[in-house]
């Protein structure tokens, strides 16, 4: 028993010595790591190890000129998303998705189209495959209050271009126009903030900008260290490289919400004899794994047309065809492609849609009219996406020149693998020749 007890005592002491030696080594290692001079050697190779505390996560918020439409806002998202992508190479940033609401073209009555989360229209998980994102109301929960540390209002230069030349630059300047954000008696800046009346900012500055979005990186990482920064009028910042691989990664991540795609798919199946298997337009859940070859998609047995009317017809009369001329052109396309079905996406009033259909007697002409439940749940933005999704699956698509609604359909069809010749087409206006210039083709860059 005595020998056994002595043996256990020796083992205990030996273990204690090993623990103390290990702690001593770790302490020594940590002390060396704190020194900028320290190195770890392995043979002839030396690697310097710097140990520093993890950097806190920062948040970037943004908004756009209230007058801009749904599809331009999607474009600005891509610019800001790739800015956040670059910021994350320096330190951790999360993009706060600006709630949707109060857009000019959303005119349905009786709907509270305000404070709409991105998940209503897009797959937020898909966005997160490109950059870290968070909905605004989740941002409030995470940070504990509806507070923004700093607002940068982006504006033009008061003097315009220097010597008539555009040059890239950003400067802090006095504000040159009336702001939506005002300092209250409590010292906080309050304003629109997507309709959230309790949201406020602690600081407000104006930046004159003439630059690509990436030029904000040093300002956000070196000129300020606050936790949250809000870029107001973010449309002032341009794409760093339009149609680059980074552009297309951001664009491909902007995947429509599945509940909206499902509605569009059902409409295709019932009315247009169209489904993904026959049309060769299958979608993979993770867009990063999806790479369709050009011309691989066939599309459903119908032509889709986006025909802008209302303000566009009033303000761009040279570029917009009359309803009769649009119908005549569509007849030629239907005969050329030996198709009998036509899907029309338009903002035209009901009487103009009827007139257009009257000009197309002998063909099956469809447009999507949302049931009450769809309109109430997904609002005008969701209905527009359903229209775009149906257009994106047609055998042939023709759009309206310079319309961002049509341009987004071009991109969607590129992603699905359609022939550009069956995609990049537009109506010629009554003030143009029948051989008017067609849209520029922007191929996906991988």
């Amino acid at each position: 028993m005595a020998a056994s007890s002595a043996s256990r005592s020796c083992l205990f002491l030996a273990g204690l010595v090993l623990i103390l030696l290990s702690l001593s080594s770790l302490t020594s290692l940590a002390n060396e790591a704190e020194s900028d001079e320290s190195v770890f050697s392995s043979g002839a190779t030396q690697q310097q190890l710097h140990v520093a505390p993890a950097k806190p996560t920062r948040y970037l918020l943004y908004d756009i000129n209230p007058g801009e439409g749904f599809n331009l806002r999607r474009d600005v998202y891509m610019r800001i998303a790739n800015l956040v992508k670059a910021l994350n190479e320096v330190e951790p940033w999360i993009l706060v998705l600006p709630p949707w609401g109060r857009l000019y073209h959303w005119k349905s009555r009786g709907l509270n189209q305000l404070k709409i989360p991105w998940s209503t229209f897009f797959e937020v998980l898909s966005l997160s495959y490109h950059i870290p994102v968070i909905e605004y109301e989740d941002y409030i929960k995470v940070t504990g209050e509806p507070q923004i540390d700093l607002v940068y209002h982006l504006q033009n230069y008061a003097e315009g271009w220097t010597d008539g030349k555009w040059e890239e630059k950003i400067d802090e300047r006095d504000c040159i126009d009336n702001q939506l954000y005002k300092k209250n008696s409590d010292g906080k800046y309050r304003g629109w903030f997507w309709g959230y009346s309790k949201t406020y900012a602690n600081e407000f500055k104006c930046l004159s900008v003439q630059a690509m979005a990436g030029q904000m990186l040093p300002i956000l990482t070196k000129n300020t260290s606050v936790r949250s920064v809000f870029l107001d009028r973010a449309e002032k910042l341009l794409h760093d490289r339009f149609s680059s691989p980074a552009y297309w990664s951001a664009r491909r991540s902007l995947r429509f919400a599945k509940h909206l795609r499902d509605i569009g798919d059902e409409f295709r199946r019932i009315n247009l004899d169209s489904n993904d298997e026959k049309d060769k337009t299958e979608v993979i859940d993770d867009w990063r794994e999806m790479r369709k070859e050009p011309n691989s998609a066939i599309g459903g047995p119908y032509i889709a047309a986006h025909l802008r009317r209302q303000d566009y017809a009033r303000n761009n009369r040279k570029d917009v065809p009359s309803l009769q001329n649009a119908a005549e052109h569509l007849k030629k396309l239907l005969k050329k492609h030996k198709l009998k079905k036509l899907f029309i996406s338009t903002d035209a009033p009901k009487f103009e849609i009827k007139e257009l259909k009257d000009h197309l007697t002998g063909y099956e002409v469809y447009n999507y009219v949302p049931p009450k439940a769809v309109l109430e749940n997904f609002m005008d933005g969701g209905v527009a996406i359903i229209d775009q999704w149906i257009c994106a699956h047609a055998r042939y698509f023709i759009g309206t020149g310079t319309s961002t609604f049509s341009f987004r359909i071009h991109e969607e069809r590129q992603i699905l693998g359609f022939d550009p010749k069956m995609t990049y087409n537009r109506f010629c206006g009554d003030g143009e020749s029948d051989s008017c210039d067609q849209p520029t083709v922007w191929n996906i860059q991988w």
Side-chain angles (χ1 to χ4, degrees), residues 16-217:
L16 183 60
V17 169
L18 285 173
I19 291 170
L20 291 172
L21 286 172
S22 297
L23 289 172
S24 176
S25 296
L26 287 171
T27 303
S28 174
L29 207 58
N31 290 336
E32 290 176 11
E34 288 176 359
S35 169
D36 289 340
E37 307 272 325
S38 67
V39 293
F40 286 89
S41 300
S42 176
T45 304
Q46 288 188 328
Q47 292 183 328
Q48 193 167 9
L49 175 67
H50 299 275
V51 178
K55 294 181 178 179
T57 299
R58 301 177 68 188
Y59 297 90
L60 186 65
L61 305 91
Y62 74 97
D63 203 3
I64 301 170
N65 175 17
E68 302 297 351
F70 185 67
N71 290 287
L72 178 69
R73 288 170 182 270
R74 289 169 61 188
D75 188 81
V76 175
Y77 165 82
M78 291 188 281
R79 306 176 208 178
I80 304 304
N82 281 331
L83 169 59
V84 171
K85 185 117 180 133
L87 286 167
N88 272 281
E89 295 177 4
V90 180
E91 57 191 12
W93 284 78
I94 295 176
L95 179 60
V96 181
L97 301 168
W100 298 89
R102 286 194 178 180
L103 301 189
Y104 172 76
H105 294 104
W106 293 359
K107 296 184 177 181
S108 292
R109 297 180 179 179
L111 296 177
N112 182 26
Q113 303 198 72
L114 196 63
K115 302 180 182 178
I116 305 170
W118 276 62
S119 59
T120 303
F121 303 138
F122 299 97
E123 294 289 340
V124 174
L125 178 62
S126 179
L127 301 179
S128 72
Y129 291 156
H130 184 57
I131 57 163
V133 296
I134 190 173
E135 299 268 18
Y136 180 65
E137 292 196 2
D138 291 328
Y139 163 81
I140 295 175
K141 293 175 185 175
V142 169
T143 58
E145 59 181 322
Q147 169 192 295
I148 298 167
D149 293 316
L150 170 62
V151 172
Y152 278 134
H153 174 77
L154 309 185
Q155 60 185 14
N156 295 326
Y157 279 84
E159 65 273 22
W161 295 4
T162 304
D163 298 326
K165 296 179 181 178
W166 190 91
E167 59 178 337
E168 202 165 8
K169 56 184 178 178
I170 300 177
D171 295 290
E172 188 175 330
R173 294 284 187 89
D174 291 336
C175 298
I176 58 177
D177 53 11
N178 188 31
Q179 305 305 322
L180 293 174
Y181 304 94
K182 302 293 184 182
K183 191 174 185 178
N184 286 359
S185 57
D186 60 0
K188 308 296 184 185
Y189 289 87
R190 300 183 185 274
W192 171 237
F193 291 122
W194 316 288
Y196 287 84
S197 59
K198 293 183 179 180
T199 297
Y200 66 91
N202 293 322
E203 194 175 1
F204 185 98
K205 296 180 180 180
C206 284
L207 294 179
S208 288
V209 299
Q210 213 169 263
M212 312 300 178
Q215 293 301 310
M216 285 297 299
L217 191 146

Side-chain angles (χ1 to χ4, degrees), residues 328-372:
E328 289 302 317
H329 188 64
L330 288 169
K331 286 180 185 178
K332 292 177 183 178
L333 290 173
L334 287 161
K335 289 177 182 178
K336 177 181 177 180
H337 295 282
K338 300 178 181 180
L339 296 170
K340 297 293 291 183
K341 294 189 177 187
L342 173 68
F343 177 78
I344 298 288
S345 174
T346 182
D347 60 345
K350 290 181 180 179
F351 74 89
E352 285 196 353
I353 295 174
K354 182 181 183 304
E355 180 184 341
L356 183 64
K357 289 183 176 181
D358 289 343
H359 288 305
L360 290 159
T361 302
Y363 294 96
E364 296 181 43
V365 183
Y366 298 89
N367 63 296
Y368 180 71
V369 180
K372 182 180 178 182

